[in-house]
Protein backbone atom coordinates (compact mmCIF):
# COMPACT_ATOMS: atom_id res chain seq x y z
CA UNK A 1 0.00 0.00 0.00
CA UNK A 2 1.47 3.40 -0.94
CA UNK A 3 2.14 5.87 1.86
CA UNK A 4 2.97 9.56 2.15
CA UNK A 5 4.02 11.69 5.14
CA UNK A 6 1.33 13.88 6.71
CA UNK A 7 2.28 17.59 6.54
CA UNK A 8 0.56 18.29 9.91
CA UNK A 9 1.72 15.52 12.23
CA UNK A 10 4.41 13.63 10.25
CA UNK A 11 2.67 10.26 10.50
CA UNK A 12 2.27 8.04 7.41
CA UNK A 13 -0.87 8.71 5.36
CA UNK A 14 -2.80 6.07 3.42
CA UNK A 15 -4.26 6.24 -0.07
CA UNK A 16 -8.02 5.65 0.11
CA UNK A 17 -10.09 4.88 -2.99
CA UNK A 18 -13.86 5.29 -2.79
CA UNK A 19 -16.76 5.80 -5.14
CA UNK A 20 -18.81 9.00 -5.22
CA UNK A 21 -22.16 9.32 -6.97
CA UNK A 22 -22.54 12.66 -8.77
CA UNK A 23 -25.68 14.08 -10.36
CA UNK A 24 -24.71 15.86 -13.59
CA UNK A 25 -27.13 18.64 -14.64
CA UNK A 26 -29.08 17.63 -17.74
CA UNK A 27 -28.38 13.92 -17.25
CA UNK A 28 -31.19 11.98 -15.55
CA UNK A 29 -28.83 9.16 -14.48
CA UNK A 30 -26.35 9.67 -11.59
CA UNK A 31 -22.72 9.03 -12.51
CA UNK A 32 -20.33 7.05 -10.28
CA UNK A 33 -16.76 8.36 -10.05
CA UNK A 34 -13.72 6.90 -8.31
CA UNK A 35 -12.25 9.31 -5.78
CA UNK A 36 -8.67 8.90 -4.54
CA UNK A 37 -7.44 10.81 -1.51
CA UNK A 38 -4.63 10.65 1.01
CA UNK A 39 -5.95 10.27 4.58
CA UNK A 40 -4.01 10.54 7.84
CA UNK A 41 -5.47 8.15 10.45
CA UNK A 42 -3.84 10.08 13.32
CA UNK A 43 -5.05 13.67 12.77
CA UNK A 44 -7.83 13.19 10.13
CA UNK A 45 -6.01 15.41 7.59
CA UNK A 46 -6.85 14.53 3.99
CA UNK A 47 -6.00 15.77 0.50
CA UNK A 48 -6.93 14.77 -3.02
CA UNK A 49 -4.45 12.46 -4.73
CA UNK A 50 -2.77 13.53 -7.97
CA UNK A 51 -3.63 11.63 -11.14
CA UNK A 52 -0.10 10.17 -11.42
CA UNK A 53 0.11 8.94 -7.79
CA UNK A 54 -0.71 5.31 -7.16
Amino acid sequence: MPTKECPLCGEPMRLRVSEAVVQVPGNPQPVAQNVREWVCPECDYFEEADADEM
Side-chain angles (χ1 to χ4, degrees), residues 18-25 27-35:
S18 58
E19 189 174 277
V21 178
V22 180
Q23 184 66 45
V24 178
N27 186 354
Q29 298 295 324
V31 178
Q33 296 178 337
N34 286 331
V35 178

Side-chain angles (χ1 to χ4, degrees), residues 2-48:
T3 59
K4 177 179 176 177
E5 186 176 301
C6 178
L8 295 180
C9 67
E11 293 294 319
M13 297 175 73
R14 296 188 181 112
L15 186 62
R16 180 175 67 184
V17 180
S18 58
E19 189 174 277
V21 178
V22 180
Q23 184 66 45
V24 178
N27 186 354
Q29 298 295 324
V31 178
Q33 296 178 337
N34 286 331
V35 178
R36 297 179 342 159
E37 56 188 9
W38 289 102
V39 178
C40 179
E42 295 298 319
C43 67
D44 294 330
Y45 174 80
F46 66 95
E47 62 185 47
E48 209 171 294

